[in-house]
Amino acid sequence: MMMLEDGCIQLLCLTASSGVPLFTRGASKQLPFSVIGSLNGVHMFGGGQGVLLSCCETEGGGKVVWRVFHDSVMLIAVSRGGSSGGCSKEEEIRLQRLLENVWHCMVLVLGQDELVNLRNVERLKRDLRSCFCLIDQLLEEKQQGVLGNLTHCADSLLPPNPTLLQEAVDGFAQAADSEFGCLFVHGRIAVATEKWWRLAPQEVVLLSALVRTLSASGSASCDYPVFLPQGSPTVAHRLLRFQLLPGADVCVLCGPTPSLHRAESELVGQLWSPLVETLRSCLSVGERSLPGSVPLRPDVLALLLINRETRRSVSCVQLSSYHLLSDPSLSKSRCWELLKLFYIFSMSRYFTQEETLCVSAEDGAQGGHTEDFLHGFSHQPQQCYLVTEECKSYGLQTPRHQLFLLMLPSVPTFALRTVATQTLSDIISATAF
């Protein structure tokens, strides 16, 4: 494990029956073949003894997590640990969710049949290369400024003029013979059709990640076949994506019609040209994800707000000269990391999870990750806080929302609850999120 740098994750994919390596992604210093063989061998040995090995910890504080999907593909995540600041439990949850996301990413691109019915291993190795860009994005999620890969809630941006954009997306989807349409701004969902929101939360998250990957390729439009991991894992749909402005993309899921050329030449210009200024005002919201009408206190470093009913989320990090004067070592990447760690801390110990952080029992899941001491409580905690040297964090849960807030250490501990409740009230009253 010492070959991996602190905080790096190496992802290994092998055939479950024979242990043939299919691919490795992640850390620049890859594990030697002998170590990969040992990781596979110890799992197979445990299985032969009637023991399911799902996770272990190394002497240096690293983690190894195994998961077998449909008795066909084994995924192994190896983390050196170290720099993230999370405890062993938090790291295990993150790695388990990573393996789950990677499997569904492979299904999204290749379809379940090709992965479950292994007919030609060498051909599968070649086909899996088409998943690498998306898998790499999952491994480098801290650089993306999005949390949907962890929360399984759709990362959203709240536009200042949602009504006009909603009408445009609905009309565009209808003109494209589809009920599934979505507008992405800076890689986050601004508006979508009702049927898009009815997709499984993980499907919405992975489609968003795929659109970010396709947008980064620089193409103005594309016609991409996708399988829905839960809704349609064996039958492909067409994902049509069009760049409206740099940073703004519209997508539809459709059948054989319309052709990419017809949709691009006839529908895009007709329906979206009148909304150029509206799109620009939406783009101006930027990484903040919240319109300017939403005030945020200057002592707030970062926030994650989840709508539990719609499985949508908004998140942002705000760093100003005020924050840097308080702590010059602060950075956006570190704030995102702390926000993720506090989310896992709260969800694994206190708050209600609408879905477990593991896949179904047929894939060998071990159940939820809630702390044992919570099972003895007669009530459900609604608030929690955490005080560290870097920041103070507060979590707030209501029947409809979950709010996770990072604040400067200078904020009095007794004032954390007031700041959190006021922030939640300000966002809801201004956006009806």
Side-chain angles (χ1 to χ4, degrees), residues 190-224:
V191 292
T193 62
E194 181 181 353
K195 284 291 184 70
W196 188 282
W197 290 123
R198 289 187 186 179
L199 296 171
Q202 190 179 43
E203 293 173 342
V204 175
V205 169
L206 289 179
L207 285 171
S208 299
L210 178 60
V211 170
R212 287 193 293 271
T213 300
L214 296 174
S215 299
S217 68
S219 61
S221 63
C222 64
D223 186 341
Y224 199 91

Side-chain angles (χ1 to χ4, degrees), residues 91-126:
E91 187 68 9
E92 178 184 350
I93 293 175
R94 293 175 70 175
L95 295 178
Q96 290 283 5
R97 173 129 292 187
L98 172 64
L99 296 188
E100 179 187 352
N101 288 334
V102 170
W103 165 256
H104 284 100
C105 160
M106 293 159 61
V107 174
L108 181 79
V109 177
L110 299 181
Q112 186 171 289
D113 283 347
E114 185 169 350
L115 297 168
V116 173
N117 303 314
L118 294 179
R119 303 178 183 90
N120 187 318
V121 174
E122 292 304 317
R123 177 183 173 183
L124 179 59
K125 286 182 181 180
R126 292 192 299 269

Side-chain angles (χ1 to χ4, degrees), residues 165 169 181-185 188-192 244 248-250 272 279:
L165 296 174
V169 166
C182 185
L183 174 66
F184 291 89
V185 174
R188 308 185 189 202
I189 298 179
V191 292
L244 304 177
D249 299 90
V250 64
W272 290 101
L279 288 170

Side-chain angles (χ1 to χ4, degrees), residues 47 57 80 89 103 106 113 117 119 121 132 147 152 168-169 171 181 203 211 218 240 259-260 310 314 321 347 370 393:
E57 188 169 348
R80 176 65 175 85
K89 183 180 183 63
W103 165 256
M106 293 159 61
D113 283 347
N117 303 314
R119 303 178 183 90
V121 174
F132 286 174
L147 303 177
H152 276 188
V169 166
E203 293 173 342
V211 170
L240 302 185
S259 67
L260 179 67
T310 63
V314 290
S321 56
M347 298 304 294
T370 305
S393 309

Side-chain angles (χ1 to χ4, degrees), residues 16 20 32 41 62 70 76 85 112 114 116 120 127 149 154 163 165 181 183 188 246 294 327 337 377 413 432:
V20 176
H70 293 273
I76 307 173
Q112 186 171 289
E114 185 169 350
V116 173
N120 187 318
D127 292 344
N149 299 333
T163 303
L165 296 174
L183 174 66
R188 308 185 189 202
V294 178
D327 185 356
E337 185 70 11
F377 290 173
T413 302

Side-chain angles (χ1 to χ4, degrees), residues 15-84:
T15 59
S17 58
S18 56
V20 176
L22 297 174
F23 67 81
T24 62
R25 307 300 295 173
S28 57
K29 295 182 180 180
Q30 295 190 358
L31 296 173
F33 183 79
S34 59
V35 174
I36 296 176
S38 298
L39 292 175
N40 177 60
V42 70
H43 186 275
M44 292 182 65
F45 176 79
Q49 304 301 312
V51 176
L52 179 62
L53 179 62
S54 61
C55 180
C56 78
E57 188 169 348
T58 69
E59 292 182 356
K63 277 282 184 182
V64 183
V65 175
W66 292 261
R67 181 72 66 80
V68 176
F69 296 88
H70 293 273
D71 295 323
S72 174
V73 172
M74 175 189 291
L75 291 175
I76 307 173
V78 182
S79 171
R80 176 65 175 85
S83 66
S84 67

